[in-house]
Amino acid sequence: MKKKIVISIGSIVIFVIGLVFFLSTGGQRTDVILTHYSLSEDNEVMTLHINVAGSMGYVRGLKVKQGGDNKYITFYSTYGLNNSIGAKSEFEVQLNPSCEEIYFYSGDGGYRLVLKKMGEKNEWHMV
């Protein structure tokens, strides 16, 4: 009887630790870097090819906010420790004609500029 109780308590403790660890992942990524990008022919969709600067973790999704003529993008990690299930490295972002700059989340509520329209033709360039 005591052996069953010890095994049950041990199983519950391991399950709770695993659950806490799993739920503590999947947060915002602040180390996402843009490797390259491409535009659709009508310039309405930009495909972002990204990677993470850290040695661990993957990106599973993003959230895009419009702020004036700018896009603010926050990336989210996959769930679990270095779990590649659901990982993506390519994302499509809808652009409106007035969009001038694209920022990636850098932590503490801040964003860093990664793409900007420049030149006479208003072409996109990595910053």
Side-chain angles (χ1 to χ4, degrees), residues 40-108:
S40 62
E41 287 186 29
D42 59 5
N43 290 331
E44 290 184 9
V45 177
M46 180 180 283
T47 303
L48 304 173
H49 301 269
I50 56 102
N51 205 342
V52 292
S55 62
M56 289 185 64
Y58 298 91
V59 174
R60 67 173 162 84
L62 60 80
K63 181 179 178 183
V64 180
K65 293 189 292 186
Q66 181 78 33
D69 292 336
N70 304 324
K71 295 274 186 181
Y72 297 91
I73 301 174
T74 303
F75 293 93
Y76 293 90
S77 66
T78 57
Y79 293 104
L81 179 62
N82 213 25
N83 182 4
S84 64
I85 296 174
K88 295 171 66 176
S89 62
E90 185 178 302
F91 296 93
E92 289 186 350
V93 176
Q94 297 292 324
L95 298 176
N96 55 354
S98 67
C99 187
E100 297 288 328
E101 298 175 336
I102 296 176
Y103 293 83
F104 285 3
Y105 184 68
S106 61
D108 295 328

Side-chain angles (χ1 to χ4, degrees), residues 8-65:
S8 297
I9 291 174
S11 298
I12 291 171
V13 168
I14 290 171
F15 175 76
V16 169
I17 289 171
L19 184 64
V20 167
F21 179 75
F22 180 78
L23 293 176
S24 67
T25 59
Q28 299 169 336
R29 296 288 314 217
T30 59
D31 62 344
V32 175
I33 56 173
L34 180 67
T35 56
H36 63 282
Y37 66 95
S38 58
L39 287 166
S40 62
E41 287 186 29
D42 59 5
N43 290 331
E44 290 184 9
V45 177
M46 180 180 283
T47 303
L48 304 173
H49 301 269
I50 56 102
N51 205 342
V52 292
S55 62
M56 289 185 64
Y58 298 91
V59 174
R60 67 173 162 84
L62 60 80
K63 181 179 178 183
V64 180
K65 293 189 292 186

